[in-house]
Amino acid sequence: METRDYTFAAGQPASSRALAGVVGSGDLEVLLQPGDDGVTRIVVNTSVDGKGAVWDALLQRVFGGEPLPAARIVINDCGATPGVVRMRIEQAYEELQAGRTA
């Protein structure tokens, strides 16, 4: 089990909480809640050790561009591929835009 922490620049705080995915073999869950203005903090709990460079690159691609709403995000990973990780993060932000809350 490995835990990684990240901080990225962000916009205004997210409007509510959101959940995407489930913890299970080959998948992950993304728990998102409003964060502090201008900052997104991410904690990744993963069952796959030694993939820090992959997480670094993936999260930099997702959060390094146009600022997303500020959030505190917990990702609980059970071996999801980078494509699934990105999809779940995008799903969580789509839940915010649609006005659905966790």
Side-chain angles (χ1 to χ4, degrees):
M1 189 79 175
E2 189 173 302
T3 299
R4 303 190 58 80
D5 294 292
Y6 298 90
T7 302
F8 293 96
Q12 296 296 314
S15 58
S16 62
R17 298 186 304 180
L19 166 67
V22 295
V23 177
S25 179
D27 206 347
L28 77 158
E29 71 178 355
V30 174
L31 307 166
L32 184 151
Q33 60 184 341
D36 298 326
D37 190 25
V39 178
T40 289
R41 290 188 174 84
I42 304 166
V43 174
V44 177
N45 300 305
T46 179
S47 62
V48 182
D49 294 334
K51 296 295 182 183
V54 174
W55 281 104
D56 295 350
L58 172 62
L59 294 176
Q60 182 60 43
R61 268 186 243 122
V62 173
F63 293 96
E66 186 71 26
L68 294 168
R72 288 189 308 262
I73 298 173
V74 175
I75 298 174
N76 295 309
D77 171 53
C78 286
T81 64
V84 171
V85 174
R86 184 174 189 131
M87 179 183 69
R88 296 289 183 226
I89 293 168
E90 290 172 352
Q91 284 177 329
Y93 277 100
E94 286 174 7
E95 292 290 316
L96 290 178
Q97 289 177 337
R100 295 184 289 262
T101 61

